Amino acid sequence: MTQYSINGRGYDAAPMPGQCLRTFLRDLEVFGVKKGCDAGDCGACTVHIDGKPFHSCLVPAFRAEGREVTTIEGLSAGGALHPMQQAFRDAQAFQCGFCSAGMIMTAVTLTAAQKADLPHALKGNLCRCTGYRSIDDALHGRCNIAADLPGQALGASLPNPFTDAILTGRARYTMDVAVEDLLHLKVLRSPHAHARIVTIDKAAALAVPGVAAVYTWEDVPKRRFTSALHEDHLVDPDDILLLDNVARFAGQRVAAVVAETEAAAEAGCRALQVTYDVLPAVFDPVEAVRPGAPLLHDKDHVNASNNIYCTLQGEIGDVAQGFAQADAVHEQTYSTTRVQHSHLETHGSIAWKGSDGRWHIRTSSQAPFVVRTKLAYIMGLSPRDIHVFTERVGGGFGGKQEMVSEDLVLFATMKVGRPVKWEWTREEEFIGATTRHQMTTRVKIGALKDGTLTALDVEVFSNTGAYGGHGGETLGAAMASPIAAYRCPNKKGIGHAVYTNLVPGGGFRGYGASQTTFAIECAIDALARQLGIDPFAMRRLNVVRPGDNIESIWKEPSDASFGSYGIGQCLDIVERALETGNGVAKPEGADWAEGRGVALAMLECGPPTEHRSGAEIRLLPDGTYHLACGSTEMGNGITTAHKQIAAAILSSRADDIAIINADTDRTPYDTGTFASTGTVVGGKAVHLAAEAMAEDILAFASRHTGVPVEQCRLDTDGGVVCGNQRLTLTDLHVEGTKVDHRFSVSRRAYLSPRTIAFNVQGVRLAVHRVTGEIRVLHSVHAADIGKPINPMQCRGQLDGAVAMGYGWALVETMVHDGTGRMVNPQLRNCRIPTFADTPHTEIHFADTTDTIGPLGAKSQGECGINPVAPAVSNALADATGVRFAHLPFTPDRLFEALSAP
């Protein structure tokens, strides 16, 4: 044994040969050290060695012997927060919090000079959630939080209830748990984009020391399912098996190996001997629908025609007549790329059989209840026999609205009788998880001389990849709100979701609407410039208004409604801000061109299919409350918002409400936290339950005191006033116990009607005509989200959404070679935005109060991404006179267009 000093404590331990310090520390249950990449790219594993910061995934563990290692757990002394932890607390410089430990450990070591150049100083630490502004606030001593005062929770910028646990490393994410007798699962993935598996020889893999079992398609249940997580499973095709004898994309899982260690499981995967019959592949959706293209799915299993999973089409009015009336017509094809969610916590699950005889799955999921239903179906179990739960989820963005890890670990633990863990690598996220759908959109749009739209025709090809989960729903979203956002008597659209031999598309922030918002907002801008009309004026003239039918290409009635309407305010705010400027000038030199652009987005808060949530509230003996809600907390701040909703109605402090969420045993049913439903459905359930709790308390107090209930009220000091009498909630609970009154209520909320949110993005940028370099000079965003429950959180969500939009527009892309293999499956090469890549964005809110959402609030976390890329494209067109219609706007692409004769 060798001696290691970690956070001032001595450990007699010996690392395995070649083991890195990160995994060594976690083997010692120092779980504050996170894994985001294991390649030195993200910084989530940053620790101090003798006071200097290192990415522990790059440090051989033996090099720390005899030196002082400090992790986030050891940063605070005597239970008090370190000043940097306190700064992150005051600024609320995190959302999911998975990056926070590493970010703090780096920040602690920065000198004054380094703090003056944060883009350089923080180049080794990534955050996917915040957009970095709150981190900048922390490092400059800004405080963003308000006091938690009784009865004043609504509209207060209260801190996340788990702040201190996150910032000290005590918060437990999915893999932050020690499980006795644990086995590890790894999968062999297909190197081919399309191949039939002829044979798999397990012998060499089973001979690897430590390997306990190997499973192939011959061993698993043959029930087809979809990995997409929706309330209505019929909206997605059942086209997946646990393990299949046909690989349809490079990266599809082929076999699973279960072993005593991860290393043994990986060695077992490498030892498997697989014979493939390589089949023809197709990667472009337009090519995939042509006669003779390779077919991906057997028609006996999947209802697809020429690789078209589904087609959506419709027309209102007469588009041909509308174009005949037009004085100007713009027509162009636009395309958007695949991008990966890149949540810093990778997918992963742990499964075991409990002492209660049931199967328990600890996982990182946005929809544990739907996961439970799917697992029960696949394994032939009753849902009552399965418990699925999350503790803290390290980001999602739609990527965890997918069941991609829970199924195999449950199957394996049922077979081997021991707990099984599967933690994905970063490369697996890129090659084996889902992505944003690549879409190609042709837009034809016509208008009169005054700018009034006469016709809109849209054709969409959506590349759903090898499997169709989310394919129809994202296509429906693509052809809904972006088209419905504008008043036009004649609209037509046709869209195809097409199977190809690429990694499957899935749910992603913006959910299909991002792709066609890009195309339509660019087309609106191009048409305005063609007519000589100001882009803001063009949008004001044509944007949908209260009283209009909210319709895209279908005549069927919709439940989408204007709970509030603030798009006019948003346009005004952005226009004024861009006109006023921010004092940042373009770089000097004739080769730099400057332009400004604007784009808007409309979002129906929630999917058109079923979505439901429940909430339970109990009054506790000490006069505080327990709230249970099934929504997942993944950095979206939903636990804070739910506590504030309940506190506002119960006239209490948010801290007086304890909360538990996303646990199929301990919380009511919830479809899942996606599609902008955390506030408008989960929050509505909390709203209804809190109102019922207040009514229950007042009704009992009235009976107990004999005072009419209309003369009873909750006060802000933890009591009930009935006429001239006052009882504390503690006393009231005692009285209730005497007569078996439980002070416990439950309510459910459903997604209808769906209110509508609006967002507007403004951009002023400079572009170098020779190099293609883009510098964002001024970024402004205005959102109509109703009454912000927590303004600080809302700004943070929008900061993160806008930053992700800039990443999609400027730097992120997944590159596949001619065989369908991804060539850049690393964070450093796929390039999610760093601090240096992310412009500071002014965030503004329209002054509206929604009549549908809880306490006047509506969704804010999703739609903010949608107008960013088109605003950048419109600014580029304004600066250069060239319309850039294909993402991303990388320098090489711009150089090619700007240097063309």
Side-chain angles (χ1 to χ4, degrees):
M1 290 292 180
T2 51
Q3 182 67 34
Y4 287 81
S5 178
I6 302 168
N7 298 324
R9 175 184 172 187
Y11 289 83
D12 290 321
M16 294 180 290
Q19 186 173 23
C20 72
L21 180 58
R22 183 195 71 80
T23 57
F24 180 61
L25 290 170
R26 291 183 63 84
D27 284 348
L28 298 175
E29 299 183 22
V30 184
F31 291 125
V33 183
K34 306 302 184 193
K35 182 190 87 170
C37 66
D38 271 350
D41 295 336
C42 74
C45 68
T46 303
V47 302
H48 295 173
I49 302 177
D50 291 340
K52 295 182 179 180
F54 289 87
H55 290 181
S56 60
C57 67
L58 298 181
V59 178
F62 77 87
R63 292 192 180 275
E65 183 183 354
R67 303 169 73 181
E68 182 60 40
V69 177
T70 305
T71 72
I72 192 68
E73 291 95 334
L75 196 60
S76 54
L81 294 178
H82 183 279
M84 186 57 70
Q85 291 170 316
Q86 185 64 47
F88 269 63
R89 186 187 198 284
D90 292 343
Q92 288 290 284
F94 63 91
Q95 285 178 26
C96 82
F98 198 80
C99 75
S100 296
M103 194 75 71
I104 291 171
M105 296 305 289
T106 296
V108 164
T109 66
L110 299 183
T111 65
Q114 289 174 313
K115 288 182 181 179
D117 187 12
L118 290 178
H120 182 267
L122 292 179
K123 65 181 181 180
N125 290 82
L126 296 177
C127 176
R128 191 58 159 167
C129 295
T130 66
Y132 298 100
R133 183 168 74 167
S134 60
I135 294 169
D136 182 90
D137 288 346
L139 288 168
H140 287 92
R142 302 182 187 106
C143 183
N144 296 326
I145 59 175
D148 183 12
L149 302 176
Q152 299 183 35
L154 180 62
S157 293
L158 302 185
N160 184 295
F162 307 109
T163 293
D164 289 357
I166 291 167
L167 299 182
T168 59
R170 291 184 287 107
R172 291 292 177 254
Y173 294 81
T174 308
M175 296 297 154
D176 296 343
V177 61
V179 179
E180 188 176 350
D181 202 28
L182 182 68
L183 292 171
H184 298 265
L185 185 146
K186 289 290 181 179
V187 299
L188 175 70
R189 295 185 179 274
S190 171
H192 305 293
H194 200 191
R196 188 173 304 280
I197 298 166
V198 181
T199 62
I200 302 179
D201 187 344
K202 302 178 183 180
L206 289 169
V208 172
V211 169
V214 177
Y215 302 110
T216 72
W217 66 275
E218 296 176 302
D219 304 308
V220 298
K222 299 301 186 292
R223 291 189 174 183
R224 295 184 182 273
F225 63 98
T226 172
S227 62
L229 302 178
H230 286 113
E231 176 78 14
D232 182 359
H233 71 93
L234 297 177
V235 302
D236 303 294
D238 290 332
D239 54 10
I240 293 177
L241 291 170
L242 278 180
L243 295 169
D244 205 333
N245 68 333
V246 177
R248 295 178 176 87
F249 68 96
Q252 180 170 319
R253 57 198 197 188
V254 170
V257 176
V258 181
E260 299 290 341
T261 65
E262 285 189 72
E266 289 174 355
C269 288
R270 289 192 294 269
L272 287 167
Q273 300 296 314
V274 184
T275 303
Y276 295 97
D277 176 16
V278 179
L279 304 172
V282 61
F283 308 114
D284 181 87
V286 177
E287 295 291 330
V289 302
R290 290 179 177 164
L295 295 179
L296 270 74
H297 292 277
D298 189 320
K299 290 185 178 180
D300 290 340
H301 298 143
V302 177
N303 184 20
S305 175
N306 294 332
N307 289 320
I308 297 176
Y309 156 57
C310 74
T311 295
L312 300 176
Q313 59 186 319
E315 182 174 9
I316 59 172
D318 187 328
V319 168
Q321 182 180 346
F323 284 119
Q325 295 170 347
D327 295 312
V329 174
H330 166 79
E331 183 172 8
Q332 188 158 347
T333 298
Y334 300 85
S335 67
T336 60
T337 54
R338 290 178 174 274
V339 287
Q340 226 288 320
H341 308 80
S342 299
H343 33 72
L344 287 193
E345 180 199 40
T346 60
H347 284 91
S349 301
I350 304 171
W352 67 93
K353 188 173 187 179
S355 57
D356 56 1
R358 299 163 65 232
W359 304 104
H360 300 263
I361 300 95
R362 176 188 178 94
T363 189
S364 184
S365 174
Q366 294 177 227
F369 284 88
V370 184
V371 168
R372 180 182 65 174
T373 300
K374 286 184 181 293
L375 292 176
Y377 163 73
I378 295 168
M379 306 301 173
L381 299 170
S382 166
R384 293 188 299 272
D385 295 331
I386 301 174
H387 170 215
V388 181
F389 68 101
T390 71
E391 187 165 350
R392 184 152 190 91
V393 176
F397 317 115
K400 293 173 180 175
Q401 192 193 341
E402 210 83 36
M403 188 179 72
V404 293
S405 64
E406 297 89 348
D407 50 353
L408 278 181
V409 292
L410 176 58
F411 172 77
T413 199
M414 291 174 68
K415 287 292 186 180
V416 299
R418 289 171 59 184
V420 176
K421 166 185 171 180
W422 183 16
E423 182 177 14
W424 284 37
T425 67
R426 179 56 58 186
E427 182 175 348
E428 284 184 296
E429 291 292 329
F430 282 112
I431 69 172
T434 58
T435 71
R436 183 187 294 282
H437 288 77
Q438 185 278 322
M439 292 190 189
T440 299
T441 305
R442 180 191 59 81
V443 179
K444 183 178 180 181
I445 188 168
L448 302 176
K449 292 179 181 179
D450 67 355
T452 302
L453 296 181
T454 61
L456 176 60
D457 187 6
V458 177
E459 181 182 26
V460 180
F461 276 91
S462 175
N463 190 336
T464 197
Y467 297 98
H470 299 279
E473 291 289 274
T474 52
L475 183 62
M479 305 187 72
S481 56
I483 298 174
Y486 288 102
R487 318 171 81 211
C488 183
N490 307 296
K491 299 179 182 178
K492 181 181 178 181
I494 183 168
H496 307 286
V498 183
Y499 286 118
T500 67
N501 292 109
L502 286 174
V503 61
F508 196 116
R509 192 179 213 159
Y511 203 74
S514 307
Q515 294 92 313
T516 48
T517 294
F518 171 69
I520 291 171
E521 285 300 302
C522 287
I524 287 283
D525 214 72
L527 186 60
R529 295 180 190 280
Q530 189 175 333
L531 290 166
I533 297 174
D534 177 79
F536 283 93
M538 185 75 170
R539 288 170 171 81
R540 288 191 183 95
L541 176 65
N542 291 292
V543 73
V544 67
R545 304 170 190 172
D548 291 342
N549 291 324
I550 305 171
E551 57 187 2
S552 57
I553 59 173
W554 300 291
K555 298 176 182 178
E556 290 83 357
S558 169
D559 68 342
S561 304
F562 291 119
S564 64
Y565 183 81
I567 184 61
Q569 291 184 50
C570 292
L571 287 166
D572 291 346
I573 289 167
V574 172
E575 185 174 31
R576 282 196 303 267
L578 290 178
E579 288 176 349
T580 303
N582 62 347
V584 179
K586 77 176 182 67
E588 294 182 2
D591 287 330
W592 285 98
E594 182 178 341
R596 75 172 193 172
V598 63
L600 66 78
M602 185 179 93
L603 177 74
E604 297 146 343
C605 297
T609 50
E610 183 73 17
H611 203 106
R612 55 195 172 104
S613 184
E616 296 174 356
I617 298 181
R618 288 184 289 116
L619 177 64
L620 302 178
D622 64 357
T624 63
Y625 300 92
H626 173 81
L627 168 63
C629 187
S631 302
T632 296
E633 169 61 60
M634 54 188 170
N636 48 352
I638 206 64
T639 52
T640 317
H642 286 175
K643 282 163 63 80
Q644 288 183 245
I645 290 170
I649 293 169
L650 294 168
S651 299
S652 72
R653 298 187 312 136
D655 277 352
D656 290 333
I657 298 175
I659 189 169
I660 186 172
N661 59 292
D663 187 315
T664 61
D665 272 8
R666 303 167 66 195
T667 64
Y669 182 90
D670 184 276
T671 297
T673 309
F674 53 84
S676 300
T677 55
T679 296
V680 296
V681 186
K684 189 69 171 181
V686 172
H687 184 174
L688 295 172
E691 287 184 331
M693 184 80 263
E695 291 171 3
D696 185 60
I697 290 171
L698 295 178
F700 181 83
S702 171
R703 292 195 300 272
H704 179 69
T705 61
V707 176
V709 69
E710 56 271 16
Q711 296 179 28
C712 298
R713 62 178 176 82
L714 288 163
D715 68 17
T716 58
D717 292 324
V720 180
V721 177
C722 294
N724 295 323
Q725 303 179 56
R726 184 182 184 278
L727 294 86
T728 67
L729 292 176
T730 302
D731 291 340
L732 201 67
H733 192 280
V734 170
E735 297 301 323
T737 302
K738 295 176 181 178
V739 294
D740 197 27
H741 189 86
R742 299 179 183 178
F743 293 108
S744 178
V745 298
S746 175
R747 290 294 184 272
R748 299 173 184 173
Y750 300 87
L751 184 64
S752 189
R754 292 174 297 151
T755 189
I756 292 173
F758 287 99
N759 297 72
V760 175
Q761 177 70 34
V763 175
R764 180 171 60 90
L765 56 74
V767 55
H768 197 279
R769 295 182 183 277
V770 178
T771 65
E773 179 186 354
I774 295 173
R775 295 187 187 179
V776 176
L777 307 175
H778 195 183
S779 178
V780 185
H781 191 95
D784 169 25
I785 63 168
K787 175 72 174 176
I789 293 170
N790 186 312
M792 172 190 61
Q793 277 193 174
C794 292
R795 288 191 187 93
Q797 287 290 299
L798 289 167
D799 267 325
V802 172
M804 195 173 282
Y806 278 118
W808 189 40
L810 299 176
V811 298
E812 295 180 55
T813 185
M814 299 176 68
V815 180
H816 294 82
D817 65 16
T819 68
R821 297 186 191 182
M822 187 180 177
V823 301
N824 61 331
Q826 308 89 19
L827 289 174
R828 69 180 61 186
N829 294 321
C830 197
R831 281 290 311 281
I832 69 171
T834 65
F835 193 110
D837 298 315
T838 308
H840 175 87
T841 298
E842 297 177 22
I843 303 292
H844 302 273
F845 300 118
D847 184 14
T848 63
T849 300
D850 198 74
T851 58
I852 297 173
L855 300 180
K858 54 186 176 184
S859 307
Q860 80 281 344
E862 182 177 10
C863 192
I865 192 174
N866 290 350
V868 178
V872 172
S873 178
N874 294 337
L876 285 172
D878 186 47
T880 66
V882 178
R883 171 59 60 182
F884 294 93
H886 309 287
L887 297 180
F889 306 130
T890 50
D892 58 323
R893 291 186 172 196
L894 269 63
F895 173 82
E896 183 178 357
L898 295 176
S899 62

